[in-house]
PDB file of all heavy atoms in Angstrom:
ATOM      1  N   THR I   1     108.698  84.379  95.281  1.00 92.00           N
ATOM      2  CA  THR I   1     108.564  83.016  94.770  1.00 92.00           C
ATOM      3  C   THR I   1     107.927  82.127  95.827  1.00 92.00           C
ATOM      4  O   THR I   1     108.362  82.102  96.987  1.00 92.00           O
ATOM      5  CB  THR I   1     109.942  82.436  94.378  1.00 92.00           C
ATOM      6  OG1 THR I   1     110.566  83.307  93.436  1.00 92.00           O
ATOM      7  CG2 THR I   1     109.803  81.042  93.796  1.00 92.00           C
ATOM      8  N   GLU I   2     106.923  81.379  95.420  1.00 92.00           N
ATOM      9  CA  GLU I   2     106.263  80.452  96.336  1.00 92.00           C
ATOM     10  C   GLU I   2     107.100  79.182  96.466  1.00 92.00           C
ATOM     11  O   GLU I   2     107.339  78.473  95.496  1.00 92.00           O
ATOM     12  CB  GLU I   2     104.860  80.104  95.829  1.00 92.00           C
ATOM     13  CG  GLU I   2     104.082  79.216  96.789  1.00 92.00           C
ATOM     14  CD  GLU I   2     102.644  78.990  96.335  1.00 92.00           C
ATOM     15  OE1 GLU I   2     102.282  79.499  95.260  1.00 92.00           O
ATOM     16  OE2 GLU I   2     101.905  78.305  97.069  1.00 92.00           O
ATOM     17  N   ARG I   3     107.565  78.893  97.663  1.00 89.00           N
ATOM     18  CA  ARG I   3     108.365  77.699  97.932  1.00 89.00           C
ATOM     19  C   ARG I   3     108.355  77.431  99.418  1.00 89.00           C
ATOM     20  O   ARG I   3     107.829  78.218 100.201  1.00 89.00           O
ATOM     21  CB  ARG I   3     109.801  77.867  97.435  1.00 89.00           C
ATOM     22  CG  ARG I   3     110.526  79.104  97.916  1.00 89.00           C
ATOM     23  CD  ARG I   3     111.768  79.371  97.088  1.00 89.00           C
ATOM     24  NE  ARG I   3     112.401  80.642  97.406  1.00 89.00           N
ATOM     25  CZ  ARG I   3     113.438  80.797  98.200  1.00 89.00           C
ATOM     26  NH1 ARG I   3     113.977  79.725  98.797  1.00 89.00           N
ATOM     27  NH2 ARG I   3     113.968  81.977  98.424  1.00 89.00           N
ATOM     28  N   ASP I   4     108.929  76.307  99.796  1.00 90.00           N
ATOM     29  CA  ASP I   4     108.961  75.938 101.207  1.00 90.00           C
ATOM     30  C   ASP I   4     109.673  77.018 102.023  1.00 90.00           C
ATOM     31  O   ASP I   4     110.734  77.506 101.625  1.00 90.00           O
ATOM     32  CB  ASP I   4     109.673  74.603 101.387  1.00 90.00           C
ATOM     33  CG  ASP I   4     108.884  73.435 100.826  1.00 90.00           C
ATOM     34  OD1 ASP I   4     107.673  73.614 100.621  1.00 90.00           O
ATOM     35  OD2 ASP I   4     109.480  72.370 100.576  1.00 90.00           O
ATOM     36  N   GLY I   5     109.089  77.336 103.150  1.00 89.00           N
ATOM     37  CA  GLY I   5     109.712  78.313 104.039  1.00 89.00           C
ATOM     38  C   GLY I   5     109.239  79.727 103.831  1.00 89.00           C
ATOM     39  O   GLY I   5     109.562  80.606 104.628  1.00 89.00           O
ATOM     40  N   VAL I   6     108.476  79.974 102.762  1.00 93.00           N
ATOM     41  CA  VAL I   6     107.959  81.324 102.501  1.00 93.00           C
ATOM     42  C   VAL I   6     106.551  81.426 103.063  1.00 93.00           C
ATOM     43  O   VAL I   6     105.660  80.652 102.683  1.00 93.00           O
ATOM     44  CB  VAL I   6     107.962  81.645 100.987  1.00 93.00           C
ATOM     45  CG1 VAL I   6     107.336  83.015 100.743  1.00 93.00           C
ATOM     46  CG2 VAL I   6     109.369  81.591 100.440  1.00 93.00           C
ATOM     47  N   ASP I   7     106.322  82.382 103.955  1.00 95.00           N
ATOM     48  CA  ASP I   7     105.007  82.528 104.589  1.00 95.00           C
ATOM     49  C   ASP I   7     104.072  83.419 103.792  1.00 95.00           C
ATOM     50  O   ASP I   7     102.869  83.161 103.713  1.00 95.00           O
ATOM     51  CB  ASP I   7     105.183  83.110 105.999  1.00 95.00           C
ATOM     52  CG  ASP I   7     106.022  82.208 106.890  1.00 95.00           C
ATOM     53  OD1 ASP I   7     105.692  81.017 106.988  1.00 95.00           O
ATOM     54  OD2 ASP I   7     107.012  82.692 107.466  1.00 95.00           O
ATOM     55  N   VAL I   8     104.607  84.496 103.228  1.00 95.00           N
ATOM     56  CA  VAL I   8     103.794  85.425 102.447  1.00 95.00           C
ATOM     57  C   VAL I   8     104.440  85.576 101.076  1.00 95.00           C
ATOM     58  O   VAL I   8     105.601  85.997 100.965  1.00 95.00           O
ATOM     59  CB  VAL I   8     103.692  86.803 103.129  1.00 95.00           C
ATOM     60  CG1 VAL I   8     102.862  87.757 102.281  1.00 95.00           C
ATOM     61  CG2 VAL I   8     103.098  86.665 104.524  1.00 95.00           C
ATOM     62  N   VAL I   9     103.693  85.220 100.025  1.00 95.00           N
ATOM     63  CA  VAL I   9     104.213  85.309  98.668  1.00 95.00           C
ATOM     64  C   VAL I   9     103.792  86.644  98.061  1.00 95.00           C
ATOM     65  O   VAL I   9     102.599  86.972  98.021  1.00 95.00           O
ATOM     66  CB  VAL I   9     103.698  84.151  97.789  1.00 95.00           C
ATOM     67  CG1 VAL I   9     104.230  84.289  96.362  1.00 95.00           C
ATOM     68  CG2 VAL I   9     104.102  82.813  98.387  1.00 95.00           C
ATOM     69  N   GLY I  10     104.783  87.424  97.619  1.00 95.00           N
ATOM     70  CA  GLY I  10     104.471  88.712  97.018  1.00 95.00           C
ATOM     71  C   GLY I  10     105.666  89.650  97.060  1.00 95.00           C
ATOM     72  O   GLY I  10     106.729  89.308  97.593  1.00 95.00           O
ATOM     73  N   ASP I  11     105.473  90.825  96.504  1.00 95.00           N
ATOM     74  CA  ASP I  11     106.517  91.837  96.445  1.00 95.00           C
ATOM     75  C   ASP I  11     106.576  92.588  97.769  1.00 95.00           C
ATOM     76  O   ASP I  11     105.586  93.203  98.188  1.00 95.00           O
ATOM     77  CB  ASP I  11     106.224  92.795  95.291  1.00 95.00           C
ATOM     78  CG  ASP I  11     107.300  93.850  95.104  1.00 95.00           C
ATOM     79  OD1 ASP I  11     108.282  93.843  95.882  1.00 95.00           O
ATOM     80  OD2 ASP I  11     107.160  94.682  94.193  1.00 95.00           O
ATOM     81  N   ALA I  12     107.736  92.551  98.428  1.00 94.00           N
ATOM     82  CA  ALA I  12     107.872  93.235  99.717  1.00 94.00           C
ATOM     83  C   ALA I  12     107.744  94.743  99.577  1.00 94.00           C
ATOM     84  O   ALA I  12     107.584  95.448 100.582  1.00 94.00           O
ATOM     85  CB  ALA I  12     109.213  92.880 100.357  1.00 94.00           C
ATOM     86  N   GLY I  13     107.822  95.251  98.352  1.00 93.00           N
ATOM     87  CA  GLY I  13     107.645  96.676  98.120  1.00 93.00           C
ATOM     88  C   GLY I  13     106.191  97.067  97.979  1.00 93.00           C
ATOM     89  O   GLY I  13     105.886  98.163  97.500  1.00 93.00           O
ATOM     90  N   SER I  14     105.301  96.179  98.418  1.00 94.00           N
ATOM     91  CA  SER I  14     103.862  96.450  98.351  1.00 94.00           C
ATOM     92  C   SER I  14     103.315  96.587  99.759  1.00 94.00           C
ATOM     93  O   SER I  14     103.573  95.767 100.639  1.00 94.00           O
ATOM     94  CB  SER I  14     103.143  95.308  97.623  1.00 94.00           C
ATOM     95  OG  SER I  14     101.758  95.342  97.857  1.00 94.00           O
ATOM     96  N   ARG I  15     102.514  97.623  99.996  1.00 95.00           N
ATOM     97  CA  ARG I  15     101.925  97.838 101.311  1.00 95.00           C
ATOM     98  C   ARG I  15     101.038  96.662 101.713  1.00 95.00           C
ATOM     99  O   ARG I  15     101.047  96.226 102.883  1.00 95.00           O
ATOM    100  CB  ARG I  15     101.105  99.134 101.310  1.00 95.00           C
ATOM    101  CG  ARG I  15     100.474  99.454 102.666  1.00 95.00           C
ATOM    102  CD  ARG I  15      99.633 100.736 102.556  1.00 95.00           C
ATOM    103  NE  ARG I  15     100.475 101.887 102.290  1.00 95.00           N
ATOM    104  CZ  ARG I  15     101.045 102.626 103.246  1.00 95.00           C
ATOM    105  NH1 ARG I  15     100.877 102.315 104.518  1.00 95.00           N
ATOM    106  NH2 ARG I  15     101.784 103.657 102.920  1.00 95.00           N
ATOM    107  N   GLU I  16     100.273  96.130 100.766  1.00 96.00           N
ATOM    108  CA  GLU I  16      99.372  95.020 101.073  1.00 96.00           C
ATOM    109  C   GLU I  16     100.154  93.792 101.539  1.00 96.00           C
ATOM    110  O   GLU I  16      99.741  93.098 102.479  1.00 96.00           O
ATOM    111  CB  GLU I  16      98.529  94.663  99.838  1.00 96.00           C
ATOM    112  CG  GLU I  16      97.498  95.711  99.446  1.00 96.00           C
ATOM    113  CD  GLU I  16      98.122  96.919  98.759  1.00 96.00           C
ATOM    114  OE1 GLU I  16      99.301  96.815  98.338  1.00 96.00           O
ATOM    115  OE2 GLU I  16      97.464  97.977  98.686  1.00 96.00           O
ATOM    116  N   VAL I  17     101.282  93.518 100.906  1.00 95.00           N
ATOM    117  CA  VAL I  17     102.091  92.357 101.287  1.00 95.00           C
ATOM    118  C   VAL I  17     102.666  92.546 102.678  1.00 95.00           C
ATOM    119  O   VAL I  17     102.667  91.619 103.506  1.00 95.00           O
ATOM    120  CB  VAL I  17     103.215  92.125 100.246  1.00 95.00           C
ATOM    121  CG1 VAL I  17     104.203  91.073 100.749  1.00 95.00           C
ATOM    122  CG2 VAL I  17     102.618  91.692  98.913  1.00 95.00           C
ATOM    123  N   LEU I  18     103.160  93.734 102.975  1.00 96.00           N
ATOM    124  CA  LEU I  18     103.712  94.002 104.299  1.00 96.00           C
ATOM    125  C   LEU I  18     102.632  93.912 105.371  1.00 96.00           C
ATOM    126  O   LEU I  18     102.888  93.429 106.488  1.00 96.00           O
ATOM    127  CB  LEU I  18     104.373  95.385 104.325  1.00 96.00           C
ATOM    128  CG  LEU I  18     105.619  95.566 103.445  1.00 96.00           C
ATOM    129  CD1 LEU I  18     106.163  96.985 103.573  1.00 96.00           C
ATOM    130  CD2 LEU I  18     106.698  94.562 103.813  1.00 96.00           C
ATOM    131  N   GLU I  19     101.433  94.381 105.051  1.00 95.00           N
ATOM    132  CA  GLU I  19     100.331  94.265 106.014  1.00 95.00           C
ATOM    133  C   GLU I  19      99.989  92.804 106.248  1.00 95.00           C
ATOM    134  O   GLU I  19      99.736  92.381 107.394  1.00 95.00           O
ATOM    135  CB  GLU I  19      99.103  95.026 105.497  1.00 95.00           C
ATOM    136  CG  GLU I  19      99.273  96.542 105.529  1.00 95.00           C
ATOM    137  CD  GLU I  19      98.086  97.271 104.919  1.00 95.00           C
ATOM    138  OE1 GLU I  19      97.319  96.615 104.160  1.00 95.00           O
ATOM    139  OE2 GLU I  19      97.928  98.473 105.180  1.00 95.00           O
ATOM    140  N   ALA I  20      99.997  91.994 105.176  1.00 95.00           N
ATOM    141  CA  ALA I  20      99.685  90.573 105.308  1.00 95.00           C
ATOM    142  C   ALA I  20     100.730  89.856 106.162  1.00 95.00           C
ATOM    143  O   ALA I  20     100.422  88.877 106.855  1.00 95.00           O
ATOM    144  CB  ALA I  20      99.599  89.923 103.931  1.00 95.00           C
ATOM    145  N   ALA I  21     101.979  90.350 106.128  1.00 95.00           N
ATOM    146  CA  ALA I  21     103.056  89.741 106.922  1.00 95.00           C
ATOM    147  C   ALA I  21     103.023  90.206 108.373  1.00 95.00           C
ATOM    148  O   ALA I  21     103.788  89.689 109.206  1.00 95.00           O
ATOM    149  CB  ALA I  21     104.412  90.076 106.306  1.00 95.00           C
ATOM    150  N   GLY I  22     102.163  91.163 108.688  1.00 94.00           N
ATOM    151  CA  GLY I  22     102.037  91.616 110.066  1.00 94.00           C
ATOM    152  C   GLY I  22     103.101  92.605 110.502  1.00 94.00           C
ATOM    153  O   GLY I  22     103.472  92.631 111.682  1.00 94.00           O
ATOM    154  N   VAL I  23     103.574  93.440 109.568  1.00 94.00           N
ATOM    155  CA  VAL I  23     104.602  94.426 109.928  1.00 94.00           C
ATOM    156  C   VAL I  23     104.087  95.398 110.980  1.00 94.00           C
ATOM    157  O   VAL I  23     104.841  95.847 111.859  1.00 94.00           O
ATOM    158  CB  VAL I  23     105.088  95.177 108.666  1.00 94.00           C
ATOM    159  CG1 VAL I  23     105.934  96.386 109.052  1.00 94.00           C
ATOM    160  CG2 VAL I  23     105.869  94.255 107.763  1.00 94.00           C
ATOM    161  N   ALA I  24     102.809  95.696 110.954  1.00 93.00           N
ATOM    162  CA  ALA I  24     102.247  96.659 111.898  1.00 93.00           C
ATOM    163  C   ALA I  24     102.375  96.184 113.335  1.00 93.00           C
ATOM    164  O   ALA I  24     102.456  97.006 114.263  1.00 93.00           O
ATOM    165  CB  ALA I  24     100.776  96.923 111.562  1.00 93.00           C
ATOM    166  N   GLU I  25     102.407  94.856 113.548  1.00 91.00           N
ATOM    167  CA  GLU I  25     102.533  94.307 114.897  1.00 91.00           C
ATOM    168  C   GLU I  25     103.916  93.706 115.152  1.00 91.00           C
ATOM    169  O   GLU I  25     104.169  93.167 116.237  1.00 91.00           O
ATOM    170  CB  GLU I  25     101.478  93.217 115.133  1.00 91.00           C
ATOM    171  CG  GLU I  25     100.042  93.695 115.043  1.00 91.00           C
ATOM    172  CD  GLU I  25      99.556  93.801 113.604  1.00 91.00           C
ATOM    173  OE1 GLU I  25     100.051  93.017 112.763  1.00 91.00           O
ATOM    174  OE2 GLU I  25      98.706  94.666 113.325  1.00 91.00           O
ATOM    175  N   ALA I  26     104.809  93.773 114.176  1.00 92.00           N
ATOM    176  CA  ALA I  26     106.120  93.123 114.310  1.00 92.00           C
ATOM    177  C   ALA I  26     107.040  93.945 115.206  1.00 92.00           C
ATOM    178  O   ALA I  26     106.859  95.145 115.406  1.00 92.00           O
ATOM    179  CB  ALA I  26     106.751  92.927 112.936  1.00 92.00           C
ATOM    180  N   ASP I  27     108.035  93.255 115.751  1.00 87.00           N
ATOM    181  CA  ASP I  27     109.025  93.917 116.591  1.00 87.00           C
ATOM    182  C   ASP I  27     110.234  94.372 115.792  1.00 87.00           C
ATOM    183  O   ASP I  27     110.945  95.283 116.194  1.00 87.00           O
ATOM    184  CB  ASP I  27     109.484  92.962 117.693  1.00 87.00           C
ATOM    185  CG  ASP I  27     108.300  92.444 118.486  1.00 87.00           C
ATOM    186  OD1 ASP I  27     107.639  93.250 119.140  1.00 87.00           O
ATOM    187  OD2 ASP I  27     108.032  91.230 118.408  1.00 87.00           O
ATOM    188  N   ALA I  28     110.484  93.703 114.648  1.00 91.00           N
ATOM    189  CA  ALA I  28     111.611  94.094 113.796  1.00 91.00           C
ATOM    190  C   ALA I  28     111.339  93.622 112.373  1.00 91.00           C
ATOM    191  O   ALA I  28     110.610  92.646 112.153  1.00 91.00           O
ATOM    192  CB  ALA I  28     112.920  93.492 114.301  1.00 91.00           C
ATOM    193  N   VAL I  29     111.914  94.326 111.424  1.00 95.00           N
ATOM    194  CA  VAL I  29     111.844  93.943 110.019  1.00 95.00           C
ATOM    195  C   VAL I  29     113.262  93.888 109.480  1.00 95.00           C
ATOM    196  O   VAL I  29     114.014  94.860 109.598  1.00 95.00           O
ATOM    197  CB  VAL I  29     111.012  94.943 109.184  1.00 95.00           C
ATOM    198  CG1 VAL I  29     111.047  94.562 107.707  1.00 95.00           C
ATOM    199  CG2 VAL I  29     109.579  94.997 109.685  1.00 95.00           C
ATOM    200  N   ILE I  30     113.629  92.753 108.913  1.00 96.00           N
ATOM    201  CA  ILE I  30     114.923  92.602 108.257  1.00 96.00           C
ATOM    202  C   ILE I  30     114.688  92.634 106.757  1.00 96.00           C
ATOM    203  O   ILE I  30     114.030  91.758 106.205  1.00 96.00           O
ATOM    204  CB  ILE I  30     115.611  91.282 108.667  1.00 96.00           C
ATOM    205  CG1 ILE I  30     115.884  91.275 110.166  1.00 96.00           C
ATOM    206  CG2 ILE I  30     116.913  91.094 107.888  1.00 96.00           C
ATOM    207  CD1 ILE I  30     116.444  89.966 110.678  1.00 96.00           C
ATOM    208  N   VAL I  31     115.205  93.663 106.101  1.00 96.00           N
ATOM    209  CA  VAL I  31     115.035  93.812 104.650  1.00 96.00           C
ATOM    210  C   VAL I  31     116.261  93.190 103.984  1.00 96.00           C
ATOM    211  O   VAL I  31     117.357  93.757 104.012  1.00 96.00           O
ATOM    212  CB  VAL I  31     114.886  95.297 104.258  1.00 96.00           C
ATOM    213  CG1 VAL I  31     114.676  95.416 102.745  1.00 96.00           C
ATOM    214  CG2 VAL I  31     113.722  95.922 105.019  1.00 96.00           C
ATOM    215  N   ALA I  32     116.066  92.008 103.385  1.00 95.00           N
ATOM    216  CA  ALA I  32     117.175  91.246 102.808  1.00 95.00           C
ATOM    217  C   ALA I  32     116.990  91.069 101.310  1.00 95.00           C
ATOM    218  O   ALA I  32     117.249  90.002 100.748  1.00 95.00           O
ATOM    219  CB  ALA I  32     117.266  89.873 103.494  1.00 95.00           C
ATOM    220  N   LEU I  33     116.564  92.127 100.651  1.00 95.00           N
ATOM    221  CA  LEU I  33     116.266  92.077  99.217  1.00 95.00           C
ATOM    222  C   LEU I  33     117.504  92.423  98.394  1.00 95.00           C
ATOM    223  O   LEU I  33     118.312  93.251  98.799  1.00 95.00           O
ATOM    224  CB  LEU I  33     115.136  93.053  98.883  1.00 95.00           C
ATOM    225  CG  LEU I  33     113.834  92.836  99.666  1.00 95.00           C
ATOM    226  CD1 LEU I  33     112.885  94.003  99.459  1.00 95.00           C
ATOM    227  CD2 LEU I  33     113.175  91.531  99.220  1.00 95.00           C
ATOM    228  N   PRO I  34     117.665  91.811  97.208  1.00 93.00           N
ATOM    229  CA  PRO I  34     118.849  92.076  96.383  1.00 93.00           C
ATOM    230  C   PRO I  34     118.819  93.412  95.657  1.00 93.00           C
ATOM    231  O   PRO I  34     119.864  93.940  95.276  1.00 93.00           O
ATOM    232  CB  PRO I  34     118.853  90.909  95.389  1.00 93.00           C
ATOM    233  CG  PRO I  34     117.419  90.503  95.283  1.00 93.00           C
ATOM    234  CD  PRO I  34     116.822  90.731  96.643  1.00 93.00           C
ATOM    235  N   ASP I  35     117.627  93.977  95.449  1.00 94.00           N
ATOM    236  CA  ASP I  35     117.498  95.225  94.699  1.00 94.00           C
ATOM    237  C   ASP I  35     117.383  96.395  95.668  1.00 94.00           C
ATOM    238  O   ASP I  35     116.470  96.430  96.510  1.00 94.00           O
ATOM    239  CB  ASP I  35     116.277  95.177  93.783  1.00 94.00           C
ATOM    240  CG  ASP I  35     116.107  96.461  92.980  1.00 94.00           C
ATOM    241  OD1 ASP I  35     116.922  96.706  92.072  1.00 94.00           O
ATOM    242  OD2 ASP I  35     115.167  97.222  93.293  1.00 94.00           O
ATOM    243  N   ASP I  36     118.289  97.365  95.560  1.00 95.00           N
ATOM    244  CA  ASP I  36     118.311  98.480  96.506  1.00 95.00           C
ATOM    245  C   ASP I  36     117.077  99.367  96.408  1.00 95.00           C
ATOM    246  O   ASP I  36     116.584  99.872  97.420  1.00 95.00           O
ATOM    247  CB  ASP I  36     119.575  99.317  96.299  1.00 95.00           C
ATOM    248  CG  ASP I  36     120.822  98.619  96.812  1.00 95.00           C
ATOM    249  OD1 ASP I  36     120.690  97.587  97.500  1.00 95.00           O
ATOM    250  OD2 ASP I  36     121.938  99.099  96.521  1.00 95.00           O
ATOM    251  N   SER I  37     116.580  99.579  95.215  1.00 95.00           N
ATOM    252  CA  SER I  37     115.395 100.431  95.058  1.00 95.00           C
ATOM    253  C   SER I  37     114.201  99.823  95.788  1.00 95.00           C
ATOM    254  O   SER I  37     113.455 100.519  96.486  1.00 95.00           O
ATOM    255  CB  SER I  37     115.065 100.615  93.570  1.00 95.00           C
ATOM    256  OG  SER I  37     116.090 101.330  92.916  1.00 95.00           O
ATOM    257  N   THR I  38     114.024  98.515  95.642  1.00 96.00           N
ATOM    258  CA  THR I  38     112.939  97.836  96.349  1.00 96.00           C
ATOM    259  C   THR I  38     113.167  97.856  97.851  1.00 96.00           C
ATOM    260  O   THR I  38     112.231  98.008  98.642  1.00 96.00           O
ATOM    261  CB  THR I  38     112.809  96.378  95.856  1.00 96.00           C
ATOM    262  OG1 THR I  38     112.672  96.354  94.442  1.00 96.00           O
ATOM    263  CG2 THR I  38     111.598  95.703  96.484  1.00 96.00           C
ATOM    264  N   SER I  39     114.440  97.722  98.265  1.00 96.00           N
ATOM    265  CA  SER I  39     114.758  97.764  99.697  1.00 96.00           C
ATOM    266  C   SER I  39     114.405  99.119 100.298  1.00 96.00           C
ATOM    267  O   SER I  39     113.845  99.198 101.404  1.00 96.00           O
ATOM    268  CB  SER I  39     116.245  97.479  99.908  1.00 96.00           C
ATOM    269  OG  SER I  39     116.569  96.163  99.520  1.00 96.00           O
ATOM    270  N   LEU I  40     114.721 100.198  99.593  1.00 96.00           N
ATOM    271  CA  LEU I  40     114.403 101.534 100.088  1.00 96.00           C
ATOM    272  C   LEU I  40     112.900 101.745 100.174  1.00 96.00           C
ATOM    273  O   LEU I  40     112.385 102.314 101.151  1.00 96.00           O
ATOM    274  CB  LEU I  40     115.038 102.590  99.186  1.00 96.00           C
ATOM    275  CG  LEU I  40     116.577 102.598  99.135  1.00 96.00           C
ATOM    276  CD1 LEU I  40     117.072 103.611  98.111  1.00 96.00           C
ATOM    277  CD2 LEU I  40     117.153 102.933 100.512  1.00 96.00           C
TER     278      LEU I  40
END
């Protein structure tokens, strides 16, 4: 959902979205999603 405080709008279960968020250069990823299948 696009709203204040959200830097990248999209499904975290998408490779393109994770790349846009800079996961490849990140030091840690916190997966705080409500759906377990998407979290996995």
Side-chain angles (χ1 to χ4, degrees):
T1 304
E2 184 174 2
R3 53 195 173 99
D4 291 342
V6 176
D7 299 308
V8 179
V9 179
D11 183 0
S14 164
R15 181 182 294 272
E16 291 76 15
V17 170
L18 294 180
E19 289 176 341
V23 168
E25 298 81 30
D27 305 296
V29 176
I30 298 175
V31 181
L33 303 169
D35 180 70
D36 287 350
S37 295
T38 306
S39 295
L40 296 175

